[in-house]
Amino acid sequence: AAKDTTTAMEVTSTSGKKCSVFGIRHLQCFLLFCGLSVAYALRVNLSVAIVAMTDKNATNPDFDEYDWSEKTKSLLLSSFFWGYVVTQVPAGQLARKFGGKIMLLSGVFICSLLTVLTPICARLGDWQLVCALRVMMGLSQGFLFPSTHTILSKWAPVEERGTLGTYSYSGTQFGTVVMLATSGVMASSVMGWPSIFYISGGVGLVWSVVFFIWGASSPSEYRNISPEEKKLIETSLGSSSEDETTKAPTRTPWVKFFTSVPFLVLTLTHCTHNWGFWTLLTEIPSYMKNILGMDIKSNALLSALPYAAMFLMSFVFSALQSQLSKRECIPLSVSRKLFNSIGHWIPMITLVCLGYVSANDTNLAIILLTITVGINGATYLGFQVNHIDLSPNFAGILMGITNCAANIMSIIAPLIVGFIVTDEKNPEQWRIIFFIAAGFYFIGNLLFVLFGKVEVQSWNDAQPKHSTNGKRNSTFVESQH
């Protein structure tokens, strides 16, 4: 990236400083967006490919077919999360020590390489080797969110934190949409179902090269960043390349993490969010098939619709936040809690309504499902960036802790469904599931509204807070520019 790229177009920020419309910080967020897109494509590719792998007549019949039972397929699909949960907390610590770039790069590169090897492993070691491969992919992707949070904590000015975080994390939905929408075409092509792994893994390897060249853990590591943009970021965050290392705490205050009410509330909010969200994404297809008589998995575009809605709505909410911020009348705490409430309490209502939709109202069911998942995009401006609010120095570690706990909930939720729903054709049992998920949404957000904080916590840094400008930026909603 050339130096004059960051100075070609400039506007005035809310703090009165000039900053570029598209600067190096936006380049880093675009790279994060692409990286998260690739990572989620690698995560969900097996869920589509496994249909073709176990039924050659479903797509191109010229490729290997495997006689895997439903139990084996469920084992393969869940094995990713066994490894994913394990590396969450260590990933945050390693990202803080060695930099977010190297950890994110390593995670995506290893996962991409393993994805390319998947067809070969299936041929050589059947489902057992594929299962081991998926566990290793989960271990590598455990570095994803903690590393991304660590990078954002260094690159995103306080007034742009929510917007840049939304742009970066929306890649998770984009990657899911692209994979779901194109996998059927790839499986039916002359390259067959192995092309799903070769192409997605190959794109991941290409991204790794690009990120190695243009990615950076912090502004101080990027040589061609303009002095104006570097000063804008460092002034907002209260750091500089000269004292960045000396100001950061050298020891991780683990005890203070787990005795901090705002962080404990954030952890609970993340857990309740995952319970509701993953109940939706894992169980709704079964509900629509058995209660509404629809097989949503057989229609790739229909499967991708809720993810596409969430991807688009995240930008709508980001634009809405930017408009509100121009008036500089909404405190950051109100902003976080407002958008988190939208992302949790509206899906809470639509979930309950979905439980009462009859089999004759399939269009209404699709609309409610799309709204339920799509509105979740508001949480990108809520609890999902609150880790950086509480502690820029330990944002990656905090994300690792909450994401670890939240993904344990993601594993437990489907098990609870299996315990309660003994008859998949019984709508009353499904209503209980929806009420439980809605209850988690309600309680989690209520705790966040009552006890959530946006102020940097005392254990983040022993140094006194720097400037009044920093206080001002932490008071009002982030603006896009």
Side-chain angles (χ1 to χ4, degrees):
K3 180 177 179 179
D4 58 0
T5 302
T6 64
T7 58
M9 300 178 66
E10 294 184 331
V11 295
T12 302
S13 70
T14 56
S15 58
K17 295 180 178 62
K18 286 186 176 181
C19 58
S20 53
V21 172
F22 188 89
I24 298 302
R25 65 192 185 282
H26 302 103
L27 172 63
Q28 298 304 312
C29 287
F30 177 70
L31 291 173
L32 291 176
F33 168 87
C34 294
L36 291 171
S37 297
V38 168
Y40 264 66
L42 301 178
R43 181 181 298 196
V44 304
N45 57 12
L46 182 63
S47 64
V48 181
I50 202 168
V51 176
M53 294 172 73
T54 55
D55 182 9
K56 64 167 58 178
N57 296 321
T59 50
N60 189 332
D62 298 329
F63 292 84
D64 295 336
E65 181 182 56
Y66 299 95
D67 186 20
W68 294 340
S69 66
E70 287 298 320
K71 182 178 180 180
T72 299
K73 288 190 283 187
S74 298
L75 192 69
L76 288 172
L77 292 173
S78 65
S79 59
F80 175 92
F81 294 96
W82 306 346
Y84 185 69
V85 171
V86 171
T87 50
Q88 289 293 321
V89 177
Q93 188 81 336
L94 291 171
R96 182 171 177 272
K97 183 176 182 180
F98 298 106
K101 174 185 174 179
I102 186 64
M103 302 316 299
L104 180 61
L105 180 63
S106 300
V108 175
F109 176 79
I110 293 172
C111 190
S112 301
L113 187 61
L114 294 174
T115 299
V116 173
L117 296 175
T118 300
I120 300 174
C121 290
R123 191 178 303 116
L124 296 177
D126 206 60
W127 70 266
Q128 293 91 340
L129 189 54
V130 175
C131 184
L133 200 73
R134 293 291 292 184
V135 172
M136 289 189 286
M137 289 175 64
L139 288 169
S140 65
Q141 281 212 21
F143 291 90
L144 203 64
F145 284 2
S147 299
T148 300
H149 251 49
T150 301
I151 294 172
L152 285 173
S153 70
K154 301 294 185 183
W155 276 100
V158 174
E159 63 270 17
E160 299 180 12
R161 188 174 287 159
T163 304
L164 296 182
T166 300
Y167 291 167
S168 300
Y169 280 106
S170 62
T172 60
Q173 305 307 321
F174 183 76
T176 302
V177 169
V178 171
M179 180 52 62
L180 290 177
T182 61
S183 55
V185 176
M186 288 188 282
S188 301
S189 69
V190 293
M191 295 179 64
W193 62 259
S195 64
I196 295 176
F197 300 102
Y198 295 146
I199 293 175
S200 60
V203 172
L205 294 174
V206 171
W207 177 87
S208 299
V209 174
V210 173
F211 191 63
F212 176 77
I213 297 172
W214 284 291
S217 295
S218 66
S220 62
E221 294 183 13
Y222 201 97
R223 292 183 301 170
N224 293 328
I225 188 172
S226 69
E228 294 84 5
E229 184 178 14
K230 185 177 181 182
K231 183 178 180 181
L232 169 75
I233 297 170
E234 291 178 343
T235 300
S236 178
L237 300 180
S239 63
S240 66
S241 56
E242 288 78 12
D243 63 3
E244 190 177 81
T245 303
T246 58
K247 285 183 66 175
T250 56
R251 305 180 72 177
T252 304
W254 294 102
V255 174
K256 292 184 178 179
F257 289 167
F258 294 102
T259 54
S260 170
V261 173
F263 176 65
L264 292 177
V265 168
L266 174 59
T267 304
L268 290 173
T269 304
H270 199 161
C271 288
T272 56
H273 169 82
N274 270 37
W275 184 289
F277 191 69
W278 283 97
T279 295
L280 275 170
L281 298 187
T282 59
E283 301 301 334
I284 284 296
S286 178
Y287 169 79
M288 297 188 77
K289 178 181 179 180
N290 292 294
I291 302 299
L292 302 179
M294 300 171 58
D295 189 358
I296 193 171
K297 286 184 177 178
S298 67
N299 189 322
L301 293 178
L302 192 58
S303 298
L305 182 61
Y307 298 95
M310 186 173 178
F311 172 72
L312 295 174
M313 289 303 296
S314 65
F315 291 99
V316 172
F317 289 126
S318 180
L320 175 60
Q321 184 202 48
S322 295
Q323 290 299 316
L324 292 173
S325 70
K326 288 181 180 179
R327 295 165 176 79
E328 294 192 352
C329 59
I330 301 180
L332 180 56
S333 60
V334 174
S335 170
R336 290 280 186 262
K337 295 173 182 180
L338 170 64
F339 285 100
N340 207 73
S341 297
I342 293 172
H344 278 177
W345 282 353
I346 292 180
M348 172 190 71
I349 296 171
T350 54
L351 258 179
V352 173
C353 294
L354 191 61
Y356 289 95
V357 174
S358 67
N360 299 323
D361 296 324
T362 53
N363 289 335
L364 177 60
I366 293 173
I367 292 172
L368 287 173
L369 174 61
T370 303
I371 293 174
T372 304
V373 178
I375 296 297
N376 265 273
T379 61
Y380 288 134
L381 298 162
F383 84 90
Q384 298 208 42
V385 290
N386 191 228
H387 311 74
I388 309 177
D389 294 329
L390 299 179
S391 177
N393 282 328
F394 299 107
I397 298 176
L398 299 185
M399 170 55 88
I401 295 171
T402 66
N403 206 33
C404 176
N407 276 281
I408 292 174
M409 299 290 280
S410 302
I411 296 172
I412 295 175
L415 299 178
I416 298 298
V417 173
F419 178 77
I420 295 175
V421 181
T422 56
D423 179 9
E424 293 184 337
K425 303 289 186 180
N426 189 334
E428 293 183 358
Q429 292 182 356
W430 281 103
R431 281 190 203 123
I432 296 174
I433 298 301
F434 294 144
F435 280 135
I436 292 174
F440 272 111
Y441 270 142
F442 176 77
I443 294 172
N445 186 63
L446 182 63
L447 290 172
F448 189 71
V449 169
L450 294 177
F451 304 108
K453 302 291 183 183
V454 298
E455 295 81 12
V456 175
Q457 300 300 292
S458 59
W459 38 264
N460 171 71
D461 194 332
Q463 301 294 329
K465 293 309 293 176
H466 44 285
S467 65
T468 55
N469 186 47
K471 292 179 180 178
R472 182 178 185 270
N473 287 338
S474 67
T475 301
F476 293 98
V477 177
E478 306 95 337
S479 69
Q480 184 172 346
H481 305 303

